[in-house]
Amino acid sequence: MEKDELTYHVPVLLKESVDGMNIRPDGVYVDVTFGGGGHSREILSRLSTGGRLLGFDQDEDAERNLVDNPHFTFVRSNFRYLHNFLRYHGIEEVDAILADLGVSSHHFDDSERGFSFRFDGALDMRMNKRAGDTAADVLNTYEEGRLADLFYLYGELKNSRKLASVIVKTRSVQPIQTIGEFLEIIKPLFGREREKKELAKVFQALRIEVNREMDALKEMLQAATEALKPGGRLVVITYHSLEDRMVKNIMKTGNVEGKMTQDFFGNIQAPFRLVNNRVIIPDEAEIARNPRSRSAKLRIAEKK
């Protein structure tokens, strides 16, 4: 594995996820979360004549990890536009789609990106630094009720209303611009014994909101369902309950809400069959090597 990739992101459940794609040497595949390129390199190692891989990533930093391989095409875009770019590249159906929904280690370790409370720096959190509101914009402009909702829905924080209230009172005196300023405001709301876990939830909620992650995931999963050919595989690694619920629902019912639909005869209309009925998680050795893999869950489904 190359040094740049290791410093950018250690691929999680690498063998299990790529094995789950059921790769044929001449098949057409998509890695919608290219990142450090670890999963893509493994996929490419299994392709030969006629094989093709598209890798999606909206982050310009991911382009440093591009793979020089004739079977590979890089798409610098959010994976929500999967359908558009498959059509642009003349691809009607694909054999498997892989999504590793974890934030790259690179983002957590880069103080300038504002993803982690371990560093001071600007409250940015945008995956695509070219567009959209920053985390500071969200904290300084959202109404109190909207702030409380996002912390409750995306961070599952029980004190979301208190959190929103403190933020609004503080910003009325002076805008909140840096991670240090933000932590000074919110740390007193959490007990010392759970402080790190609670702060991680706050930052997760902000990141999800800034990048519209739930909307993007919904659009990608729907597009993936349509793009896969019969027998094609959807392979997804999730890291928190919100996204895992959406993935589980689409694999069981064909929609992210989990609504069962039936035909005239009462048969459940589901586009997938589950390949692994039990979720796949990293073993102890992988968690020891890469502690950030601890919360990973791998789900695999095959298009009927």
Side-chain angles (χ1 to χ4, degrees):
M1 199 176 294
E2 295 178 17
K3 186 175 183 292
D4 284 350
E5 181 207 324
L6 277 169
T7 56
Y8 190 99
H9 184 62
V10 180
V12 174
L13 291 164
L14 178 62
K15 185 177 187 303
E16 294 89 341
S17 58
V18 179
D19 283 352
M21 295 175 76
N22 201 25
I23 288 174
R24 296 194 337 267
D26 61 347
V28 179
Y29 302 94
V30 185
D31 177 356
V32 296
T33 48
F34 177 76
H39 289 101
S40 282
R41 285 184 176 86
E42 180 60 29
I43 294 165
L44 287 165
S45 74
R46 305 184 189 196
L47 299 183
S48 62
T49 306
R52 192 171 181 188
L53 172 66
L54 266 67
F56 280 69
D57 208 297
Q58 64 182 329
D59 184 1
E60 64 185 37
D61 290 352
E63 293 192 56
R64 299 174 194 167
N65 307 311
L66 288 190
V67 185
D68 183 14
N69 187 298
H71 302 288
F72 180 71
T73 303
F74 182 70
V75 179
R76 186 172 168 198
S77 175
N78 189 301
F79 60 34
R80 72 193 309 163
Y81 303 115
L82 173 64
H83 173 76
N84 300 27
F85 279 97
L86 287 179
R87 191 167 56 183
Y88 175 78
H89 287 283
I91 298 170
E92 290 188 14
E93 292 183 316
V94 301
D95 293 286
I97 295 170
L98 170 70
D100 175 359
L101 301 178
V103 178
S104 291
S105 304
H106 159 79
H107 291 128
F108 284 122
D109 294 337
D110 184 348
S111 59
E112 293 181 8
R113 300 300 292 270
F115 284 91
S116 174
F117 54 84
R118 292 183 294 122
F119 309 104
D120 197 7
L123 278 161
D124 193 320
M125 297 197 190
R126 291 172 300 169
M127 293 289 187
N128 180 355
K129 292 187 287 186
R130 299 171 297 171
D133 290 340
T134 65
D137 293 328
V138 169
L139 291 173
N140 289 302
T141 63
Y142 276 28
E143 293 177 357
E144 187 174 324
R146 192 175 177 190
L147 279 173
D149 286 348
L150 82 88
F151 287 125
Y152 182 76
L153 291 171
Y154 298 154
E156 299 177 293
L157 287 148
K158 292 174 182 174
N159 63 344
S160 60
R161 292 191 184 282
K162 179 66 176 171
L163 192 56
S165 174
V166 168
I167 289 166
V168 170
K169 281 175 187 168
T170 304
R171 79 187 189 195
S172 68
V173 179
Q174 186 177 344
I176 305 161
Q177 301 291 1
T178 68
I179 294 168
E181 291 168 358
F182 186 45
L183 290 177
E184 199 174 312
I185 296 160
I186 65 172
K187 268 189 175 182
L189 301 179
F190 304 114
R192 295 288 296 175
E193 69 284 350
R194 286 189 54 80
E195 184 180 270
K196 283 189 177 179
K197 282 193 173 182
E198 297 298 296
L199 289 176
K201 289 180 179 181
V202 171
F203 275 63
Q204 172 185 291
L206 273 175
R207 190 199 79 226
I208 289 172
E209 177 67 16
V210 166
N211 296 289
R212 303 289 189 268
E213 289 181 27
M214 294 298 102
D215 291 338
L217 178 57
K218 178 179 179 178
E219 290 177 35
M220 184 276 287
L221 291 171
Q222 290 170 337
T225 302
E226 293 169 12
L228 286 165
K229 61 178 62 171
R233 296 279 183 92
L234 178 60
V235 178
V236 188
I237 305 169
T238 67
Y239 294 82
H240 60 77
S241 59
L242 295 170
E243 61 192 16
D244 188 57
R245 194 176 305 128
M246 290 174 73
V247 172
K248 184 165 63 174
N249 284 343
I250 200 127
M251 289 182 172
K252 286 190 172 180
T253 67
N255 59 74
V256 296
E257 294 81 17
K259 295 174 185 171
M260 293 284 189
T261 56
Q262 299 178 333
D263 63 16
F264 180 76
F265 301 101
N267 299 310
I268 293 170
Q269 299 286 88
F272 293 106
R273 71 166 189 84
L274 298 180
V275 173
N276 59 320
N277 288 311
R278 292 185 64 185
V279 70
I280 298 167
I281 58 174
D283 60 22
E284 290 180 10
E286 178 166 5
I287 293 170
R289 288 194 311 272
N290 179 15
R292 285 176 177 155
S293 70
R294 185 180 290 107
S295 56
K297 292 180 178 179
L298 170 62
R299 298 183 184 276
I300 306 166
E302 187 171 284
K303 183 91 170 277
K304 291 178 181 175

